[in-house]
Amino acid sequence: MSELFDAVDALVASRSSLPPAAERKRLRTAHGLTLDEVAAALQVRRATVSAWESLTKPTEPRGPEREAYARLLRQLAELYPAPEEPAAQAAPAAVAGMPAPGAPAPAPAQARPVSTGPAREAAAGTATEHPQPPAAPVTPAAGGVSRPPRTAGPSASRRPAVRKAAPAGTPAEGVDPRFVNGPLAVVDVEDGQVLAYCTGGLVLEVPAKSLPSLVEWTLKEANLGQPRLSGPGKDGDPLLVLTEAALERYGLPVALGDEDRLAGRIPESHKVVRQLVRAEWKLTKRGFGPWARIYRPAQGSDRQCVQLCIPSWHALGTRHWGEVGQLAPAELARVLGVFASRVMTPRGSTAVTGLELMTALHPPTRASDPDAEGKRHSEHNPGSLGRDPVDPAPCEAPDGHPLLKDLPRFHVRGPGERLFEEAYDWARPLTDAECMQRHLVGIDVNMAFAAGANGLTVGLGAPTHVTAPEFDAKLPGSWLVDLSHVDLSRVKVGKDKWADLDAGLLPSPFTPKGDGPEGPAWYATPTVAYAAELGYEVTPVEAYVRYENGRYLDGWYNRLRDAYLATMADLGIDADLSPADFLTAMDGYKDRDPELAIVASAIKATVKGGLGKLRERPRGEGWRPGEPWRALSRPTWRPDIRAAVISRTRINLHRKIVKHAAFTGQYPVAVLSDCVVYAANGPSPLDFLPYRDGKPLPGGFKLGINPGLVKHEGTQSVLWGEEVRERFNAPELNLARYIKDGTVTDADNGE
């Protein structure tokens, strides 16, 4: 009989009523739960929980998961009844335990336990409610810069409870006890009190009266930092973000003067720098600038270093971080905290952080096995770039490199002397048939350069010069080979399948401008391999190959991919959406949570910037051609790796273009980097992408959020395109550059 009762109970539970998707998300975020935590508790995938909360097309749990999920929601509903104000229902989701803007403020720490770890619950005994003062009018700050009043938001209407830092070494389940308060803090001053806004809504009292004492407090009491990303690596140093009020408190200028801005730092004679020197703190060679690093030489494994970020000194550039510097401290801590938890604690610009992430995942050295005396030594970490820089091959060196100092002045290297692997910038006039179409539709490859790095074998050591080599597609390097015989009018598109194409409507895959090669030229391995894939023989004349190689960028790609997908999922865009639902979800996604949209933008910039840093050029400092510059001293200065990633990215795009042309007879009218423009009768990508029963063309373009898939970039009319080209008398003006919003200025064309 009991088995029958159990079956009845299970049957009833399988139909347990569930609240709407928006209410499910509200209940989860009100308790500070992440999607990962709920998924782990219910033993399902993270994407499954995200789909249950999807505001566009929510799915329904089944079986035992439904019963458990319903039980969770009922318990949360008892703790957090639905607010009376309708506006609260639409509050954006919190991320990684961080309060969403506009969400109801949590109860004081004493009222209920918060899922931020036992250490924070233990510290709740010292918590005191500290209400936010009324917004003050705009007043001039030091340096003549006006500071606006706080914007409305959770930190402006009601600040979380202020706590003293938990004692060092306080245990915390699932959290490194050294870093229980997160990777970073935004330091601000309110009502004369210095406060540190941490991730998760935590606010700490800061007793420090000077900058040296602030550094001491951070290292000894704040419990800030980030665990290492790799076993042989180093823990992430704590990051302090100083607001304008904090700069004033600690004697720093709110804005850099003209001379300091050009120098990139305040002078060594500044009183705060002298304070640090007297306290025996050091600065890196870059001095006290927007991303200052303050340290003492490490004593064994004891690392003493604090990173400062100063938004009002333009540490967070608006190109990639938007107006994040104008956010209130709690919101700023949320944005940077999400980025830090998913990528890494920022170490500088997004480009610097992208490069630092490579090193953090593949440290150059590791500890050896104990020797006969039981001592360990530092040794090369296999799979890393090592700690010593290597010279590139002469063809890989950019102009001005010391390897080229003996070239005649003003000598211009041609394709036979220089490796030139860059992204596409190609366009052509519209055909008569395309002029009869109504729209120009642009599609953009998601994180195209990250996808190009995925699974790519790159050189880890110095190049070896070989003459008349046999081409090996698995061997990274640079090859001098003539590919002018490759005929795009007939190409191989399968194992034994050839396609006849109109070569005049296609860009060449071998040059960034899309022009066909005219003779021998230097190419990275992926480009030469593609020529062989198209069905043509390749016979290199010479090459610089790297026998020491590996998939160095795989971990880097995986971490950035996961960070991007998790952030976009929190913005309502899941990886398993149908093509139509994906286009709908992408429409206006940045408005759902502008702060999370900033994180997504910063993640994408970290990809491009990190790869760009692999071939960083001189940055002033009195450099002259033929002399070394600072970046050359890094083992991560590797133009060959950058060239290989760009080569593979361009080839991946061309392969999709060829597949699409062979199947549909449609050709692109413009290509710019990772954006492709087609003429179509409708305004949507679905009006020209060949989906059958919801399935895309194998090997062609596919709509979706994963790296390598495409999204809608923008749509303009064919008349708009022809008018723009006629206005500037440029039949081959690259319309992909302006397809997003249609704005073209005279400055864009040198007028």
Side-chain angles (χ1 to χ4, degrees):
M1 184 65 70
S2 61
E3 294 179 357
L4 293 177
F5 288 165
D6 292 341
V8 170
D9 292 341
L11 184 62
V12 173
S14 68
R15 300 295 189 271
S16 297
S17 60
L18 298 175
E23 178 66 3
R24 302 172 194 174
K25 178 176 284 189
R26 185 193 72 81
L27 291 172
R28 174 179 60 79
T29 58
H31 199 60
L33 297 175
T34 66
L35 292 170
D36 292 320
E37 289 172 331
V38 175
L42 300 179
Q43 299 181 3
V44 296
R45 295 188 304 116
R46 182 186 189 281
T48 302
V49 181
S50 179
W52 294 345
E53 295 181 358
S54 173
L55 300 180
T56 56
K57 191 177 180 181
T59 60
E60 293 296 314
R62 298 177 180 177
E65 291 83 8
R66 185 181 184 93
E67 178 183 7
Y69 190 46
R71 181 184 179 88
L72 170 67
L73 295 177
R74 284 196 300 269
Q75 293 183 11
L76 293 178
E78 293 176 3
L79 291 173
Y80 313 102
E84 297 178 0
E85 296 81 6
Q89 298 284 350
V95 178
M98 303 172 191
Q110 302 95 324
R112 60 174 176 84
V114 181
S115 59
T116 52
R120 296 184 186 175
E121 294 173 20
T126 63
T128 57
E129 196 67 16
H130 196 108
Q132 173 77 8
V138 177
T139 56
V145 179
S146 296
R147 187 168 68 225
R150 300 289 184 201
T151 56
S155 63
S157 60
R158 185 183 183 188
R159 192 169 61 213
V162 179
R163 305 172 186 171
K164 294 182 180 179
T170 302
E173 183 179 357
V175 178
D176 191 314
R178 299 169 299 163
F179 312 130
V180 292
N181 292 331
L184 57 89
V186 179
V187 181
D188 193 30
V189 180
E190 298 182 20
D191 292 344
Q193 184 181 18
V194 183
L195 303 173
Y197 288 80
C198 306
T199 58
L202 178 69
V203 183
L204 302 177
E205 295 177 354
V206 181
K209 304 297 183 184
S210 66
L211 193 64
S213 60
L214 175 64
V215 175
E216 295 274 6
W217 172 84
T218 302
L219 293 172
K220 293 181 179 179
E221 301 181 45
N223 290 338
L224 294 173
Q226 190 172 44
R228 65 194 65 184
L229 298 180
S230 174
K234 300 175 182 178
D235 295 325
D237 299 320
L239 173 66
L240 297 181
V241 185
L242 303 183
T243 66
E244 294 180 7
L247 294 173
E248 294 176 2
R249 166 60 67 90
Y250 292 117
L252 291 163
V254 171
L256 293 177
D258 292 340
E259 293 185 4
D260 295 343
R261 188 171 61 253
L262 290 175
R265 56 184 178 268
I266 58 177
E268 294 181 3
S269 59
H270 193 281
K271 63 179 182 180
V272 173
V273 178
R274 296 202 306 268
Q275 288 175 2
L276 292 169
V277 172
R278 285 196 298 270
E280 299 183 345
W281 289 104
K282 297 179 179 294
L283 293 166
T284 60
K285 292 182 180 180
R286 294 193 179 275
F288 202 122
W291 288 95
R293 295 189 70 78
I294 304 172
Y295 72 98
R296 285 179 180 147
Q299 302 293 329
S301 61
D302 182 19
R303 182 176 171 86
Q304 299 185 70
C305 184
V306 173
Q307 172 107 39
L308 300 184
C309 169
I310 306 178
S312 64
W313 293 8
H314 306 292
L316 301 170
T318 56
R319 180 181 178 187
H320 304 310
W321 288 102
E323 300 300 324
V324 70
Q326 302 300 319
L327 295 176
E331 284 88 16
L332 181 54
R334 177 187 182 234
V335 170
L336 296 179
V338 173
F339 182 89
S341 67
R342 293 178 175 174
V343 181
M344 71 179 300
T345 305
R347 294 286 303 272
S349 66
T350 50
V352 169
T353 302
L355 194 68
E356 291 289 340
L357 180 62
M358 296 180 195
T359 304
L361 293 168
H362 285 286
T365 60
R366 68 178 184 182
S368 68
D369 294 331
D371 59 16
E373 298 178 356
K375 295 182 179 180
R376 296 179 183 270
H377 307 276
S378 177
E379 66 177 14
H380 173 69
N381 183 26
S384 75
L385 298 180
R387 57 183 170 188
D388 298 319
V390 297
D391 283 335
C395 63
E396 298 164 352
D399 292 338
H401 192 278
L403 288 175
L404 310 176
K405 63 181 179 180
D406 294 331
L407 286 178
R409 193 179 182 186
F410 305 121
H411 174 75
V412 178
R413 294 188 295 162
E417 300 173 279
R418 177 189 178 194
L419 177 69
F420 192 62
E421 295 283 11
E422 298 294 339
Y424 268 130
D425 185 357
W426 170 87
R428 62 170 175 81
L430 272 66
T431 64
D432 291 343
E434 289 166 342
C435 287
M436 299 301 292
Q437 304 287 312
R438 298 177 59 189
H439 300 281
L440 296 173
V441 184
I443 52 176
D444 179 79
V445 182
N446 291 312
M447 297 184 71
F449 294 98
N454 181 30
L456 177 65
T457 301
V458 300
L460 300 178
T464 299
H465 182 251
V466 291
T467 304
E470 182 178 349
F471 176 68
D472 184 352
K474 297 181 180 179
L475 189 61
S478 300
W479 309 78
L480 181 62
V481 58
D482 188 353
L483 300 180
S484 60
H485 63 289
V486 177
D487 184 6
L488 293 180
S489 64
R490 182 165 177 77
V491 296
K492 202 172 185 179
V493 294
K495 185 176 181 180
D496 296 310
K497 185 177 180 180
W498 290 74
D500 294 322
L501 304 174
D502 189 338
L505 302 181
L506 284 172
S508 168
F510 308 126
T511 65
K513 289 294 184 181
D515 302 324
E518 298 179 353
W522 286 98
Y523 303 101
T525 296
T527 303
V528 185
Y530 185 58
E533 178 186 323
L534 292 176
Y536 292 88
E537 183 179 354
V538 293
T539 308
V541 178
E542 60 177 307
Y544 288 90
V545 296
R546 288 172 168 82
Y547 294 109
E548 182 187 356
N549 54 67
R551 292 168 57 160
Y552 174 72
L553 295 173
D554 273 10
W556 184 80
Y557 162 79
N558 289 334
R559 187 159 181 88
L560 289 166
R561 174 205 61 197
D562 292 347
Y564 180 68
L565 292 180
T567 305
M568 296 303 289
D570 287 323
L571 285 165
I573 303 162
D574 297 314
D576 54 357
L577 291 174
S578 68
D581 288 342
F582 169 71
L583 293 175
T584 301
M586 286 293 293
D587 188 17
Y589 76 93
K590 293 182 179 180
D591 297 331
R592 293 175 202 144
D593 190 331
E595 294 172 12
L596 277 185
I598 292 173
V599 176
S601 174
I603 293 170
K604 292 189 290 185
T606 302
V607 173
K608 289 188 176 181
L611 293 172
K613 277 283 185 180
L614 292 170
R615 199 194 66 166
E616 184 177 0
R617 302 304 306 275
R619 302 170 63 89
E621 301 175 348
W623 174 81
R624 294 182 179 180
E627 297 178 349
W629 57 93
R630 180 182 303 188
L632 299 188
S633 63
R634 296 193 321 249
T636 50
W637 193 84
R638 293 295 301 271
D640 57 297
I641 295 180
R642 173 187 177 272
V645 173
I646 293 177
S647 164
R648 192 163 186 246
T649 303
R650 192 182 67 246
I651 293 307
N652 285 346
L653 185 59
H654 194 273
R655 185 181 291 111
K656 290 180 171 62
I657 289 172
V658 166
K659 292 277 188 178
H660 186 85
F663 187 80
T664 67
Q666 298 170 332
Y667 295 83
V669 300
V671 184
L672 181 67
S673 187
D674 47 10
C675 177
V676 188
V677 177
Y678 284 90
N681 268 328
S684 168
L686 289 175
D687 290 314
F688 69 91
L689 293 182
Y691 274 84
R692 286 185 176 178
D693 299 325
K695 296 182 179 180
L697 170 68
F701 296 109
K702 178 182 178 182
L703 289 165
I705 199 60
N706 280 301
L709 306 189
V710 299
K711 62 179 181 295
H712 184 202
E713 178 69 3
T715 296
Q716 306 297 329
S717 69
V718 169
L719 292 177
W720 164 85
E722 291 299 276
E723 187 276 330
V724 167
R725 285 178 164 177
E726 183 178 349
R727 189 201 322 168
F728 295 106
N729 192 27
E732 296 183 1
L733 179 71
N734 197 329
L735 299 175
R737 193 181 308 276
Y738 318 105
I739 196 70
K740 189 167 188 175
D741 58 12
T743 302
V744 185
T745 64
D746 291 341
D748 291 329
N749 294 278
E751 295 291 329

